[in-house]
Amino acid sequence: MEVGKYLTNIGVLGAAAGVVSTARRTSTMPRDWRRFIVWGVWAAGLILAVSSVAMQERDEDEAEI
């Protein structure tokens, strides 16, 4: 696993940078279940970005066959 391909991918960087807006948004929210939903959506976006980078190499290998 090469960490560099994750750190240089614009999708992963954008999803990771979304933590700033998520933190700002949730700082003014009441402390209830909706706050967890917002953080869950951010985490899901980050997971999707990371998994798309992980699957990219496999997709390229299958395209060559």
Side-chain angles (χ1 to χ4, degrees), residues 3-21:
V3 177
K5 68 180 178 182
Y6 296 99
L7 295 177
T8 57
N9 185 282
I10 194 71
V12 174
L13 292 175
V19 74
V20 174
S21 65

mmCIF file with all atom_site columns, all heavy atoms in Angstrom, residues 3-21:
data_model
loop_
_atom_site.group_PDB
_atom_site.id
_atom_site.type_symbol
_atom_site.label_atom_id
_atom_site.label_alt_id
_atom_site.label_comp_id
_atom_site.label_asym_id
_atom_site.label_entity_id
_atom_site.label_seq_id
_atom_site.pdbx_PDB_ins_code
_atom_site.Cartn_x
_atom_site.Cartn_y
_atom_site.Cartn_z
_atom_site.occupancy
_atom_site.B_iso_or_equiv
_atom_site.pdbx_formal_charge
_atom_site.auth_seq_id
_atom_site.auth_comp_id
_atom_site.auth_asym_id
_atom_site.auth_atom_id
_atom_site.pdbx_PDB_model_num
ATOM 1   N N   . VAL A 1 3  ? 1.172   5.103  0.458  1.00 0.00 ? 3  VAL A N   1
ATOM 2   C CA  . VAL A 1 3  ? 0.460   6.208  1.078  1.00 0.00 ? 3  VAL A CA  1
ATOM 3   C C   . VAL A 1 3  ? 0.458   7.428  0.166  1.00 0.00 ? 3  VAL A C   1
ATOM 4   O O   . VAL A 1 3  ? -0.483  8.213  0.168  1.00 0.00 ? 3  VAL A O   1
ATOM 5   C CB  . VAL A 1 3  ? 1.092   6.538  2.447  1.00 0.00 ? 3  VAL A CB  1
ATOM 6   C CG1 . VAL A 1 3  ? 0.427   7.734  3.087  1.00 0.00 ? 3  VAL A CG1 1
ATOM 7   C CG2 . VAL A 1 3  ? 1.005   5.338  3.368  1.00 0.00 ? 3  VAL A CG2 1
ATOM 8   N N   . GLY A 1 4  ? 1.481   7.569  -0.648 1.00 0.00 ? 4  GLY A N   1
ATOM 9   C CA  . GLY A 1 4  ? 1.598   8.730  -1.516 1.00 0.00 ? 4  GLY A CA  1
ATOM 10  C C   . GLY A 1 4  ? 0.447   8.880  -2.487 1.00 0.00 ? 4  GLY A C   1
ATOM 11  O O   . GLY A 1 4  ? 0.008   9.994  -2.774 1.00 0.00 ? 4  GLY A O   1
ATOM 12  N N   . LYS A 1 5  ? -0.071  7.773  -2.988 1.00 0.00 ? 5  LYS A N   1
ATOM 13  C CA  . LYS A 1 5  ? -1.178  7.879  -3.936 1.00 0.00 ? 5  LYS A CA  1
ATOM 14  C C   . LYS A 1 5  ? -2.443  8.387  -3.262 1.00 0.00 ? 5  LYS A C   1
ATOM 15  O O   . LYS A 1 5  ? -3.295  8.987  -3.907 1.00 0.00 ? 5  LYS A O   1
ATOM 16  C CB  . LYS A 1 5  ? -1.425  6.554  -4.643 1.00 0.00 ? 5  LYS A CB  1
ATOM 17  C CG  . LYS A 1 5  ? -1.964  5.445  -3.791 1.00 0.00 ? 5  LYS A CG  1
ATOM 18  C CD  . LYS A 1 5  ? -2.161  4.186  -4.627 1.00 0.00 ? 5  LYS A CD  1
ATOM 19  C CE  . LYS A 1 5  ? -2.656  3.036  -3.798 1.00 0.00 ? 5  LYS A CE  1
ATOM 20  N NZ  . LYS A 1 5  ? -2.800  1.825  -4.581 1.00 0.00 ? 5  LYS A NZ  1
ATOM 21  N N   . TYR A 1 6  ? -2.572  8.177  -1.957 1.00 0.00 ? 6  TYR A N   1
ATOM 22  C CA  . TYR A 1 6  ? -3.726  8.702  -1.226 1.00 0.00 ? 6  TYR A CA  1
ATOM 23  C C   . TYR A 1 6  ? -3.547  10.184 -0.896 1.00 0.00 ? 6  TYR A C   1
ATOM 24  O O   . TYR A 1 6  ? -4.494  10.959 -0.945 1.00 0.00 ? 6  TYR A O   1
ATOM 25  C CB  . TYR A 1 6  ? -3.945  7.918  0.074  1.00 0.00 ? 6  TYR A CB  1
ATOM 26  C CG  . TYR A 1 6  ? -4.304  6.481  -0.163 1.00 0.00 ? 6  TYR A CG  1
ATOM 27  C CD1 . TYR A 1 6  ? -3.345  5.490  -0.071 1.00 0.00 ? 6  TYR A CD1 1
ATOM 28  C CD2 . TYR A 1 6  ? -5.597  6.110  -0.494 1.00 0.00 ? 6  TYR A CD2 1
ATOM 29  C CE1 . TYR A 1 6  ? -3.656  4.161  -0.292 1.00 0.00 ? 6  TYR A CE1 1
ATOM 30  C CE2 . TYR A 1 6  ? -5.926  4.789  -0.715 1.00 0.00 ? 6  TYR A CE2 1
ATOM 31  C CZ  . TYR A 1 6  ? -4.946  3.818  -0.619 1.00 0.00 ? 6  TYR A CZ  1
ATOM 32  O OH  . TYR A 1 6  ? -5.272  2.516  -0.853 1.00 0.00 ? 6  TYR A OH  1
ATOM 33  N N   . LEU A 1 7  ? -2.314  10.554 -0.553 1.00 0.00 ? 7  LEU A N   1
ATOM 34  C CA  . LEU A 1 7  ? -2.046  11.935 -0.152 1.00 0.00 ? 7  LEU A CA  1
ATOM 35  C C   . LEU A 1 7  ? -2.039  12.907 -1.325 1.00 0.00 ? 7  LEU A C   1
ATOM 36  O O   . LEU A 1 7  ? -2.160  14.113 -1.127 1.00 0.00 ? 7  LEU A O   1
ATOM 37  C CB  . LEU A 1 7  ? -0.718  12.013 0.587  1.00 0.00 ? 7  LEU A CB  1
ATOM 38  C CG  . LEU A 1 7  ? -0.661  11.273 1.923  1.00 0.00 ? 7  LEU A CG  1
ATOM 39  C CD1 . LEU A 1 7  ? 0.739   11.376 2.514  1.00 0.00 ? 7  LEU A CD1 1
ATOM 40  C CD2 . LEU A 1 7  ? -1.690  11.814 2.887  1.00 0.00 ? 7  LEU A CD2 1
ATOM 41  N N   . THR A 1 8  ? -1.869  12.395 -2.534 1.00 0.00 ? 8  THR A N   1
ATOM 42  C CA  . THR A 1 8  ? -1.832  13.277 -3.694 1.00 0.00 ? 8  THR A CA  1
ATOM 43  C C   . THR A 1 8  ? -3.125  13.239 -4.509 1.00 0.00 ? 8  THR A C   1
ATOM 44  O O   . THR A 1 8  ? -3.237  13.960 -5.495 1.00 0.00 ? 8  THR A O   1
ATOM 45  C CB  . THR A 1 8  ? -0.661  12.906 -4.613 1.00 0.00 ? 8  THR A CB  1
ATOM 46  O OG1 . THR A 1 8  ? -0.787  11.540 -5.003 1.00 0.00 ? 8  THR A OG1 1
ATOM 47  C CG2 . THR A 1 8  ? 0.669   13.112 -3.907 1.00 0.00 ? 8  THR A CG2 1
ATOM 48  N N   . ASN A 1 9  ? -4.085  12.446 -4.093 1.00 0.00 ? 9  ASN A N   1
ATOM 49  C CA  . ASN A 1 9  ? -5.344  12.354 -4.820 1.00 0.00 ? 9  ASN A CA  1
ATOM 50  C C   . ASN A 1 9  ? -6.252  13.510 -4.421 1.00 0.00 ? 9  ASN A C   1
ATOM 51  O O   . ASN A 1 9  ? -6.484  13.754 -3.238 1.00 0.00 ? 9  ASN A O   1
ATOM 52  C CB  . ASN A 1 9  ? -6.021  11.017 -4.519 1.00 0.00 ? 9  ASN A CB  1
ATOM 53  C CG  . ASN A 1 9  ? -7.262  10.824 -5.350 1.00 0.00 ? 9  ASN A CG  1
ATOM 54  O OD1 . ASN A 1 9  ? -8.292  11.402 -5.041 1.00 0.00 ? 9  ASN A OD1 1
ATOM 55  N ND2 . ASN A 1 9  ? -7.142  10.021 -6.387 1.00 0.00 ? 9  ASN A ND2 1
ATOM 56  N N   . ILE A 1 10 ? -6.770  14.217 -5.402 1.00 0.00 ? 10 ILE A N   1
ATOM 57  C CA  . ILE A 1 10 ? -7.578  15.409 -5.139 1.00 0.00 ? 10 ILE A CA  1
ATOM 58  C C   . ILE A 1 10 ? -8.896  15.060 -4.446 1.00 0.00 ? 10 ILE A C   1
ATOM 59  O O   . ILE A 1 10 ? -9.398  15.840 -3.637 1.00 0.00 ? 10 ILE A O   1
ATOM 60  C CB  . ILE A 1 10 ? -7.816  16.212 -6.442 1.00 0.00 ? 10 ILE A CB  1
ATOM 61  C CG1 . ILE A 1 10 ? -8.348  17.608 -6.143 1.00 0.00 ? 10 ILE A CG1 1
ATOM 62  C CG2 . ILE A 1 10 ? -8.747  15.471 -7.365 1.00 0.00 ? 10 ILE A CG2 1
ATOM 63  C CD1 . ILE A 1 10 ? -7.327  18.502 -5.545 1.00 0.00 ? 10 ILE A CD1 1
ATOM 64  N N   . GLY A 1 11 ? -9.436  13.894 -4.719 1.00 0.00 ? 11 GLY A N   1
ATOM 65  C CA  . GLY A 1 11 ? -10.675 13.481 -4.061 1.00 0.00 ? 11 GLY A CA  1
ATOM 66  C C   . GLY A 1 11 ? -10.483 13.249 -2.580 1.00 0.00 ? 11 GLY A C   1
ATOM 67  O O   . GLY A 1 11 ? -11.314 13.658 -1.759 1.00 0.00 ? 11 GLY A O   1
ATOM 68  N N   . VAL A 1 12 ? -9.394  12.605 -2.219 1.00 0.00 ? 12 VAL A N   1
ATOM 69  C CA  . VAL A 1 12 ? -9.094  12.346 -0.812 1.00 0.00 ? 12 VAL A CA  1
ATOM 70  C C   . VAL A 1 12 ? -8.769  13.660 -0.104 1.00 0.00 ? 12 VAL A C   1
ATOM 71  O O   . VAL A 1 12 ? -9.227  13.904 1.014  1.00 0.00 ? 12 VAL A O   1
ATOM 72  C CB  . VAL A 1 12 ? -7.939  11.345 -0.667 1.00 0.00 ? 12 VAL A CB  1
ATOM 73  C CG1 . VAL A 1 12 ? -7.530  11.176 0.785  1.00 0.00 ? 12 VAL A CG1 1
ATOM 74  C CG2 . VAL A 1 12 ? -8.329  10.004 -1.263 1.00 0.00 ? 12 VAL A CG2 1
ATOM 75  N N   . LEU A 1 13 ? -8.010  14.521 -0.762 1.00 0.00 ? 13 LEU A N   1
ATOM 76  C CA  . LEU A 1 13 ? -7.676  15.813 -0.161 1.00 0.00 ? 13 LEU A CA  1
ATOM 77  C C   . LEU A 1 13 ? -8.916  16.661 0.055  1.00 0.00 ? 13 LEU A C   1
ATOM 78  O O   . LEU A 1 13 ? -9.067  17.316 1.095  1.00 0.00 ? 13 LEU A O   1
ATOM 79  C CB  . LEU A 1 13 ? -6.673  16.562 -1.037 1.00 0.00 ? 13 LEU A CB  1
ATOM 80  C CG  . LEU A 1 13 ? -5.278  15.966 -1.111 1.00 0.00 ? 13 LEU A CG  1
ATOM 81  C CD1 . LEU A 1 13 ? -4.432  16.737 -2.115 1.00 0.00 ? 13 LEU A CD1 1
ATOM 82  C CD2 . LEU A 1 13 ? -4.638  15.956 0.250  1.00 0.00 ? 13 LEU A CD2 1
ATOM 83  N N   . GLY A 1 14 ? -9.820  16.657 -0.907 1.00 0.00 ? 14 GLY A N   1
ATOM 84  C CA  . GLY A 1 14 ? -11.056 17.421 -0.770 1.00 0.00 ? 14 GLY A CA  1
ATOM 85  C C   . GLY A 1 14 ? -11.944 16.890 0.336  1.00 0.00 ? 14 GLY A C   1
ATOM 86  O O   . GLY A 1 14 ? -12.530 17.665 1.106  1.00 0.00 ? 14 GLY A O   1
ATOM 87  N N   . ALA A 1 15 ? -12.036 15.584 0.424  1.00 0.00 ? 15 ALA A N   1
ATOM 88  C CA  . ALA A 1 15 ? -12.845 14.983 1.485  1.00 0.00 ? 15 ALA A CA  1
ATOM 89  C C   . ALA A 1 15 ? -12.230 15.252 2.855  1.00 0.00 ? 15 ALA A C   1
ATOM 90  O O   . ALA A 1 15 ? -12.949 15.520 3.821  1.00 0.00 ? 15 ALA A O   1
ATOM 91  C CB  . ALA A 1 15 ? -12.988 13.488 1.243  1.00 0.00 ? 15 ALA A CB  1
ATOM 92  N N   . ALA A 1 16 ? -10.920 15.180 2.940  1.00 0.00 ? 16 ALA A N   1
ATOM 93  C CA  . ALA A 1 16 ? -10.249 15.443 4.217  1.00 0.00 ? 16 ALA A CA  1
ATOM 94  C C   . ALA A 1 16 ? -10.375 16.920 4.598  1.00 0.00 ? 16 ALA A C   1
ATOM 95  O O   . ALA A 1 16 ? -10.537 17.245 5.782  1.00 0.00 ? 16 ALA A O   1
ATOM 96  C CB  . ALA A 1 16 ? -8.786  15.040 4.135  1.00 0.00 ? 16 ALA A CB  1
ATOM 97  N N   . ALA A 1 17 ? -10.321 17.808 3.629  1.00 0.00 ? 17 ALA A N   1
ATOM 98  C CA  . ALA A 1 17 ? -10.458 19.238 3.911  1.00 0.00 ? 17 ALA A CA  1
ATOM 99  C C   . ALA A 1 17 ? -11.879 19.581 4.345  1.00 0.00 ? 17 ALA A C   1
ATOM 100 O O   . ALA A 1 17 ? -12.103 20.615 4.986  1.00 0.00 ? 17 ALA A O   1
ATOM 101 C CB  . ALA A 1 17 ? -10.071 20.056 2.684  1.00 0.00 ? 17 ALA A CB  1
ATOM 102 N N   . GLY A 1 18 ? -12.819 18.718 4.026  1.00 0.00 ? 18 GLY A N   1
ATOM 103 C CA  . GLY A 1 18 ? -14.199 18.940 4.445  1.00 0.00 ? 18 GLY A CA  1
ATOM 104 C C   . GLY A 1 18 ? -14.383 18.893 5.945  1.00 0.00 ? 18 GLY A C   1
ATOM 105 O O   . GLY A 1 18 ? -15.419 19.317 6.460  1.00 0.00 ? 18 GLY A O   1
ATOM 106 N N   . VAL A 1 19 ? -13.384 18.407 6.662  1.00 0.00 ? 19 VAL A N   1
ATOM 107 C CA  . VAL A 1 19 ? -13.479 18.366 8.120  1.00 0.00 ? 19 VAL A CA  1
ATOM 108 C C   . VAL A 1 19 ? -13.583 19.772 8.700  1.00 0.00 ? 19 VAL A C   1
ATOM 109 O O   . VAL A 1 19 ? -14.228 19.985 9.727  1.00 0.00 ? 19 VAL A O   1
ATOM 110 C CB  . VAL A 1 19 ? -12.295 17.578 8.734  1.00 0.00 ? 19 VAL A CB  1
ATOM 111 C CG1 . VAL A 1 19 ? -11.006 18.363 8.671  1.00 0.00 ? 19 VAL A CG1 1
ATOM 112 C CG2 . VAL A 1 19 ? -12.609 17.158 10.142 1.00 0.00 ? 19 VAL A CG2 1
ATOM 113 N N   . VAL A 1 20 ? -13.008 20.753 8.029  1.00 0.00 ? 20 VAL A N   1
ATOM 114 C CA  . VAL A 1 20 ? -13.052 22.127 8.521  1.00 0.00 ? 20 VAL A CA  1
ATOM 115 C C   . VAL A 1 20 ? -14.487 22.655 8.480  1.00 0.00 ? 20 VAL A C   1
ATOM 116 O O   . VAL A 1 20 ? -14.993 23.189 9.479  1.00 0.00 ? 20 VAL A O   1
ATOM 117 C CB  . VAL A 1 20 ? -12.110 23.034 7.700  1.00 0.00 ? 20 VAL A CB  1
ATOM 118 C CG1 . VAL A 1 20 ? -12.248 24.479 8.112  1.00 0.00 ? 20 VAL A CG1 1
ATOM 119 C CG2 . VAL A 1 20 ? -10.681 22.560 7.827  1.00 0.00 ? 20 VAL A CG2 1
ATOM 120 N N   . SER A 1 21 ? -15.145 22.501 7.354  1.00 0.00 ? 21 SER A N   1
ATOM 121 C CA  . SER A 1 21 ? -16.523 22.993 7.261  1.00 0.00 ? 21 SER A CA  1
ATOM 122 C C   . SER A 1 21 ? -17.471 22.183 8.134  1.00 0.00 ? 21 SER A C   1
ATOM 123 O O   . SER A 1 21 ? -18.419 22.723 8.698  1.00 0.00 ? 21 SER A O   1
ATOM 124 C CB  . SER A 1 21 ? -16.998 22.983 5.811  1.00 0.00 ? 21 SER A CB  1
ATOM 125 O OG  . SER A 1 21 ? -17.057 21.670 5.314  1.00 0.00 ? 21 SER A OG  1
#
